[in-house]
Amino acid sequence: DQRKHTMRISTDGFSKNENDLLRGFIKVNFGIDAKVCEYIRNNKQFYYLSFNVENSILLSNIIRPHIIGSMKYKIGEK
């Protein structure tokens, strides 16, 4: 299943425009592509950033040194 090798950043508290800005910032500064996705809960629209497998690997390599031990499982480490 490819989805377990992808990443998502829960930017639910940000507007669509703010997610687009964050996506652009990540692309310009790190060369990593993301997709702004949306979902509806309780008749309210929310957004998050989604990274495909290739870009998830790139993102993981950048953030790995900054993740505390107890959260490393989120990037596939023990």
Side-chain angles (χ1 to χ4, degrees), residues 5-73:
H5 300 290
T6 62
M7 294 181 80
R8 169 183 173 165
I9 299 178
S10 296
T11 52
D12 308 52
F14 299 143
S15 70
K16 168 88 166 73
N17 185 54
E18 290 166 333
N19 272 278
D20 287 334
L21 288 170
L22 182 55
R23 180 174 83 45
F25 177 86
I26 291 169
K27 175 65 177 173
V28 167
N29 289 281
F30 301 105
I32 298 173
D33 288 316
K35 180 179 173 184
V36 176
C37 300
E38 66 180 81
Y39 67 96
I40 296 174
R41 183 178 56 219
N42 298 328
N43 294 322
K44 187 172 179 190
Q45 211 164 15
F46 296 93
Y47 303 92
Y48 63 91
L49 294 181
S50 179
F51 301 84
N52 67 16
V53 173
E54 178 185 345
N55 288 291
S56 292
I57 292 168
L58 295 172
L59 181 60
S60 292
N61 290 337
I62 290 170
I63 65 174
R64 180 173 284 109
H66 308 285
I67 298 176
I68 61 171
S70 64
M71 299 303 279
K72 295 249 185 204
Y73 75 94

